[in-house]
Amino acid sequence: MVLGFRIRWAIGLVAALFMVSCTAGSTEPSESVTTPAEPVASPEELTVSPIPEGLARLEGTATVELVVNGERVVVEVDGTQAPITAGNFVDLVERGVYDGTVFHRVVREPQPFVVQGGDPQSTDPSVPVQQLGTGGFVDPDTQEKRLIPLEITPAGAEQPLYSQTFEAAGETAKPAMPHTHGAVAMARSQFPDSASAQFYFALADLPFLDGSYAVFGYVTEGLDVVDAIQQGDVIESAVVTQGLDGLVTE
């Protein structure tokens, strides 16, 4: 009975991370799914795609400081393991996209799960609350929503796996950046390559999310502040305090 409850709880919480699909007309994942009958690749044998071009990326690490409820939350972002995901986040912080955004989803019951925010439209008080969680970053240069691929590096691998969950790719290794308490990861829709600006903090160790969502950093200071965030709390400011020189946007 306890195991069955935990399984149902995990499935329900994973569904809570899904945003409404970011792209109109997207009906299929961008990559084919590996069938169970095919052999499972080891980390050394797994074929990974090169880092996608044309997207911001982070070389090395960076430090981002958020202010929530007047308190500091310091995040170390890792571009070594997640160059595109980390680069996207650092670029959006530097652009001021997260300033004034709201944490629109907080799930603590029946067990601590996540606090999710970063929807750019949440800065507009005229946007209905029920619409929050559907928005992404619209690039002012292209007037198009920026989407980034799912990017997860298997432990021991030299490059990330792109556009597929570990399950779809037949990957059996653990990710290099797991969902431990204080992990920071990208929210997305059911389609792997649909993350844009929304992110979440893990409020507990969440191993059932490993290999399905892209962790790109960890809280190094202010985890108590994160644990106390309530729905509707605002990111008063977000700044890159170290590592901005590692951001490549060309």
Side-chain angles (χ1 to χ4, degrees):
M1 292 293 291
V2 173
L3 178 59
F5 169 77
R6 287 179 176 174
I7 292 174
R8 292 194 299 273
W9 172 78
I11 292 173
L13 291 184
V14 170
L17 286 181
F18 281 166
M19 304 178 298
V20 173
S21 176
C22 292
T23 53
S26 295
T27 58
E28 298 179 356
S30 61
E31 295 287 335
S32 61
V33 176
T34 303
T35 64
E38 294 179 335
V40 175
S42 68
E44 294 76 19
E45 297 169 336
L46 185 67
T47 300
V48 294
S49 57
I51 296 176
E53 298 180 352
L55 294 170
R57 68 181 188 277
L58 181 67
E59 297 177 348
T61 61
T63 303
V64 172
E65 182 178 307
L66 311 176
V67 175
V68 180
N69 294 324
E71 302 287 343
R72 295 168 65 245
V73 176
V74 179
V75 175
E76 182 169 306
V77 180
D78 191 342
T80 303
Q81 303 293 347
I84 297 298
T85 314
N88 177 72
F89 183 75
V90 169
D91 182 48
L92 296 184
V93 170
E94 182 65 11
R95 289 172 179 264
V97 170
Y98 293 122
D99 294 349
T101 56
V102 171
F103 288 102
H104 62 274
R105 178 176 291 137
V106 178
V107 183
R108 289 195 177 89
E109 299 295 339
Q111 298 179 46
F113 184 47
V114 302
V115 292
Q116 181 176 330
D119 185 340
Q121 64 182 343
S122 68
T123 61
D124 184 350
S126 68
V127 174
V129 172
Q130 59 269 26
Q131 187 174 319
L132 299 183
T134 65
F137 170 65
V138 177
D139 191 318
D141 295 330
T142 64
Q143 293 302 306
E144 295 182 355
K145 187 176 292 184
R146 178 200 287 175
L147 302 179
I148 61 172
L150 180 63
E151 175 187 56
I152 310 174
T153 300
E158 294 184 357
Q159 294 183 21
L161 175 68
Y162 286 101
S163 301
Q164 297 182 84
T165 64
F166 279 18
E167 180 180 9
E171 174 57 71
T172 58
K174 295 182 180 297
M177 301 183 70
H179 279 80
T180 55
H181 186 193
V184 191
M186 293 301 290
R188 60 174 178 83
S189 77
Q190 61 185 318
F191 307 113
D193 296 347
S194 57
S196 180
Q198 293 181 52
F199 67 93
Y200 61 89
F201 293 111
L203 295 178
D205 293 351
L206 306 172
F208 54 88
L209 296 182
D210 287 346
S212 295
Y213 293 84
V215 175
F216 60 89
Y218 295 94
V219 175
T220 57
E221 294 181 42
L223 188 55
D224 58 329
V225 179
V226 171
D227 288 342
I229 290 173
Q230 300 296 321
Q231 186 171 337
D233 284 351
V234 175
I235 298 176
E236 297 160 25
S237 64
V239 295
V240 183
T241 58
Q242 293 183 28
L244 185 58
D245 55 347
L247 179 64
V248 179
T249 56
E250 298 178 347

